[in-house]
Every structure is written in C-alpha cells, then in structure tokens.
Amino acid sequence: MSATLIVAAVLSLADDGAPGAAGAQGEVAKESKAAGDLVPLNIKLPKPAFRGTPKHVPPGTNLEEPRKGPRPPFMAAKGAVNVAAGKPVTSSDNEPIIGSIKLVTDGDNSADEGSYVELGPGLQWVQIDLKEKAEIWAILVWHYHANARVYHDVVVQIADDPDFITNVRTLFNNDHDNSSGLGLGRDKEYWETYEGKLIEGKAAVARYVRLYSKGSTADDQNHYIEVEVYARPAK
Ligand SMILES: [Ca+2]
Ligand SMILES: [Ca+2]
C-alpha cells in the first residue's frame, strides 16, 4: 500500500469522527453506514436580521424552546447539495399578494427587501419539482426572518407525483390540533430565525417537495424567502 493510500484511509476515518456526528443525529449516523461517509452539510446562512426572540409566548402555540447558540453541524451523505436552487415552484396561490413564487428557489435566503413572496391567508402550500428523484437529507425553510414570528401548521411532505397521491411521506408536521386536516402533528412550532428550520430527510427518495403553512403570529398570510433541499441523485 502506498503512503498516499494510507493517508487517504486515515482522512476517511477522521471524517467519520467529525464534531456533531454523535448525539442528536446518532440515529441518522447509524442508519447511513450503508450510505457511506457522513460529512457536515455546507449551509450558507444569511445575515441575521434581528437578535433574540420575544419573551412572551403567543397564545395557541405549541412552541419549542429557542436553541441557545448556533445550530450544531448537520451530518449528511457526501455529495448532498442544495438541488432545489432554480427548480420550478408551484403554489396553491397562483397570484401572490407580494413577490413571485420564483423567489422560493432563487438562491437568496436573505431577509432583504423584496426577498419574500406573500401568499394569501389561510392554508397555502408551495411545491418544488426537483426534476428527478433525489435522496433527501435535509430541507431548510425560511418563511420570513426580518422579525420574530411563528408560522402555524407547518407541514412538509414529499411524494413521487405532483398531485401528492403516490408514496406521500410527511417529514414534518406541527399542526398539533389537526386544524389543517393533514393529520395530527407531533412536531413543535418554532420561532423563525436567520438559520432557517432544518427538517431531516432521512435519506428518503422523492421528486416533489410540498410545504404547507397557515398564517403566523404576525398575520394570516403565508411567506417564503427560500427553501433549500439538500440531496444527492437517487440510486
Ligand atoms: Ca429566495
Ligand atoms: Ca393547527
């Protein structure tokens, strides 16, 4: 064995022991032995538009404790990148109040003026066509992070077809009272921040991603700044 090969083998071991591999993601790490080496996901975060979260908890919410400090690195399969950038978006609201649904996948996750689309009040969805089946490791969503707010009935589903009939799987659902009728959600509501909400894909394979929401603590409308889908081509 050449010296180069030995070095490569040692480096590969070091990758497995990268910080953040243990703990909260232990389950994923175990599952993905077959998927090969896990590496920290390379996420480009926007500038924070505000700091801290309000002390009061809005009535009728089912909030998780805000995290102290930055999100730990998320471990995903090597080669998982944002495949949603530039991909076509459709929506339950064809005539947004502000902006265009193209903003959902235009690659800009900043809270700057003009960076968000505003959909009508009540339950609305946006849907991304990844154009081919992908092995999904993480979905990151920024609804709106120019100020602190909590969106209601956030449900994230993946499917094999655009009508969400075939092989529909729910990756996240915080509709704790099933007021949106998509099933009882066990996930918590959360404050929007510049870090976005990271939803684990658990290496599920799908072509279509759909995200629901039903207004926020700020108003009844629904907003998206960006949705990123970290995935690699499905085998
Ligand atoms: Ca955007
Ligand atoms: Ca609800």
Side-chain angles (χ1 to χ4, degrees), residues 25-106:
Q25 262 197 285
E27 198 185 311
V28 174
K30 248 182 275 160
E31 267 176 26
S32 41
K33 276 279 180 254
D37 294 337
L38 295 181
V39 295
L41 208 56
N42 183 16
I43 298 168
K44 289 208 172 61
L45 292 178
K47 271 202 320 265
F50 67 92
R51 295 202 180 274
T53 47
K55 292 272 186 290
H56 82 282
V57 174
T61 54
N62 171 37
L63 271 172
E64 68 180 12
E65 276 288 307
R67 185 176 40 244
K68 292 183 177 62
R71 177 170 50 224
F74 183 81
M75 304 304 287
K78 252 181 202 166
V81 294
N82 177 23
V83 297
K87 292 293 193 317
V89 183
T90 50
S91 174
S92 54
D93 184 354
N94 291 322
E95 290 178 5
I97 299 164
I98 298 170
S100 128
I101 53 171
K102 283 186 177 176
L103 293 167
V104 176
T105 56
D106 71 345

Side-chain angles (χ1 to χ4, degrees), residues 80-162:
V81 294
N82 177 23
V83 297
K87 292 293 193 317
V89 183
T90 50
S91 174
S92 54
D93 184 354
N94 291 322
E95 290 178 5
I97 299 164
I98 298 170
S100 128
I101 53 171
K102 283 186 177 176
L103 293 167
V104 176
T105 56
D106 71 345
D108 176 10
N109 56 15
S110 77
D112 296 346
E113 196 63 37
S115 63
Y116 67 92
V117 59
E118 179 174 271
L119 308 176
L123 187 69
Q124 301 283 359
W125 52 259
V126 295
Q127 181 173 315
I128 302 164
D129 179 2
L130 302 175
K131 301 299 274 182
E132 58 185 9
K133 283 192 172 181
E135 182 191 280
I136 298 169
W137 282 82
I139 296 172
L140 261 138
V141 52
W142 291 263
H143 286 105
Y144 188 81
H145 60 97
N147 54 45
R149 56 175 71 181
V150 176
Y151 282 84
H152 302 305
D153 299 4
V154 174
V155 180
V156 179
Q157 295 182 328
I158 55 175
D160 291 350
D161 69 310

Side-chain angles (χ1 to χ4, degrees), residues 178-191:
N178 196 22
S179 57
S180 289
L182 294 158
L184 207 61
R186 305 262 175 232
D187 296 299
K188 293 277 197 181
E189 295 190 303
Y190 59 90
W191 290 106

